[in-house]
């Protein structure tokens, strides 16, 4: 339950002990006044006062200085057992002292077993002292044995009940501490996960925008430098493309900085206009034929960004790897949402062996919106990228998107 008055750590139990401590001192004082005022003068009176004073001194020492090296709590209980036996041998009023000090057996013991042990020792000491004084008389059995047994039995029941209450209080306090620690760890984990997700989002956006733009600038700069002498007009056009790409990268950088505030806002105009501008720039920079069939679609900002990033990443892969001559882009509304298809007639590749930050980023970006990416390719047969994003059937009218109840078409092969 606790170790001592000064060592109690449970708030409820510590407050209870402080209150009982005050009551105990009042009762000790009342007993001393009663002995001094009501008993007849004589050696027995002064011996009783001296023994009571010695017990009060020991109680004060263990109460105020629980860690003192001389009078430990269990030592005090042994002193109390002895005093109760002496009082019972000397006087009839030992019962009042027994009742006043009964809680001490629970207050100063470390375990219920120790409390019960000292309590039974006190009972035996008291009955022995009284029996030595009264013998096997009816007074001993009627006024000493029966009352003492009743008081001890009640004290045991109350003490065990209080110990159970305090143990439950300790367990609740422990569980609360563990819960608070678990909540703190969970909050910290959520913060770390949020920071990691934000870093991944920023890395994906930078890869799909700024990195692709810089790669385009490098390719255009190398081509312009190579054609300065042989084709100045073409080099001049490429320099203008470099300037335009750099400006677009600057605009993309500003958009990334303010992306947190833009999330969830309606798109500023149709995604089709932006896609057509990207495709025109791609055809101008690469000289490839671009066949575009773009339906005029209104969508929210996250959907618009996902479509643009998927287009930019797919075109960047065509530029770097496909060795294609023609690129086809189709943007269309379907019963289940919006569908973006990008094909090329390039070298193709083995889909199962493909790996890269760009493809993984496209999959994750679409998955965040409930969509998916389907990639179909084989060596020598070109590549087909199909991105689908669910949208409400009325999204084109009000510019809001949401999950669709219709299912996409069959998996392409």
């Amino acid at each position: 339950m606790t170790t001592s008055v000064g060592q109690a750590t449970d708030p409820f139990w510590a407050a209870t002990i402080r209150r009982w401590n005050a009551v105990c001192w009042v009762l000790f004082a009342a007993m001393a006044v009663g002995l001094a005022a009501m008993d007849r003068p004589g050696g027995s009176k002064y011996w009783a006062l001296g023994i009571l004073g010695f017990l009060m001194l020991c109680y004060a020492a263990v109460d105020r200085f629980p860690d003192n090296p001389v009078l430990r709590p269990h030592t005090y209980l042994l002193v109390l057992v002895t005093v109760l036996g002496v009082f019972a041998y000397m006087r009839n009023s030992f019962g009042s002292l027994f009742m006043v000090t009964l809680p001490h057996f629970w207050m100063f013991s470390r375990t219920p077993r120790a409390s019960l042990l000292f309590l039974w020792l006190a009972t035996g000491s008291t009955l022995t002292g009284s029996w030595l004084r009264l013998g096997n008389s009816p007074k001993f059995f009627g006024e000493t044995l029966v009352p003492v047994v009743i008081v001890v039995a009640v004290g045991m029941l109350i003490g065990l009940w209080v110990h159970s209450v305090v143990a439950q209080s300790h367990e609740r306090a422990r569980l609360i501490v563990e819960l608070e620690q678990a909540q703190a760890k969970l909050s910290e984990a959520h913060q770390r996960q949020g920071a990691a997700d934000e870093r991944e989002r920023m890395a994906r956006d930078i890869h799909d925008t700024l990195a692709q733009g810089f790669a385009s600038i490098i390719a255009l700069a190398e081509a312009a430098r190579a054609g300065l002498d042989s084709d100045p007009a073409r080099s001049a056009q490429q320099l203008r493309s470099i300037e335009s790409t750099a400006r677009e990268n600057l605009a993309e950088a500003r958009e990334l900085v303010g992306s947190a505030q833009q999330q969830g806002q309606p798109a500023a105009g149709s995604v089709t206009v932006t896609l057509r501008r990207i495709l025109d720039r791609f055809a101008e920079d690469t000289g490839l034929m671009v066949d575009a069939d773009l339906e005029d679609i209104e969508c929210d900002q996250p959907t618009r960004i996902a479509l643009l990033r998927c287009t930019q990443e797919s075109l960047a892969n065509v530029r770097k790897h496909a060795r294609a001559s023609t690129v086809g882009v189709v943007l269309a509304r379907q019963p289940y949402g919006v569908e973006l298809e990008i094909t090329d007639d390039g070298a193709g590749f083995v889909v199962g062996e493909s790996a890269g930050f760009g493809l993984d980023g496209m999959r994750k970006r679409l998955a965040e919106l409930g969509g998916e990416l389907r990639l179909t390719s084989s060596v020598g047969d070109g590549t087909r990228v199909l991105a689908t994003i669910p949208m409400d059937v009325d999204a084109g009218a009000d510019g809001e998107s949401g999950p669709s109840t219709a299912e996409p078409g069959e998996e392409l092969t």
Side-chain angles (χ1 to χ4, degrees), residues 322-343:
R323 301 192 300 276
S325 60
T326 303
V327 176
V329 180
V330 177
L331 178 68
R333 285 301 304 266
Q334 300 295 343
Y336 55 83
V338 61
E339 183 177 274
L340 173 67
E341 181 187 44
I342 302 173
T343 59

Side-chain angles (χ1 to χ4, degrees), residues 17 43 45 54 100 111 200 203 208 242 244 250 294-295 318 324 327 351 353 377 379 410:
I17 288 179
K45 171 181 178 179
F54 174 72
V100 168
T111 64
E200 181 179 355
D208 293 345
I242 290 175
S244 299
L250 179 60
L294 307 177
E295 185 177 339
V318 171
V327 176
V351 175
E353 298 177 358
S377 182
V379 177
E410 304 244 352

Side-chain angles (χ1 to χ4, degrees), residues 211-235:
Q212 302 292 359
F214 289 135
S216 177
I217 289 173
I218 292 173
L220 289 170
E222 291 175 346
R225 183 178 59 185
L228 282 176
D229 296 330
S230 60
D231 192 354
R234 177 65 176 168
S235 296

Side-chain angles (χ1 to χ4, degrees), residues 62-73:
V62 78
D63 172 44
R64 298 300 179 183
F65 309 100
D67 296 324
N68 73 85
V70 177
L71 190 62
R72 310 299 294 171

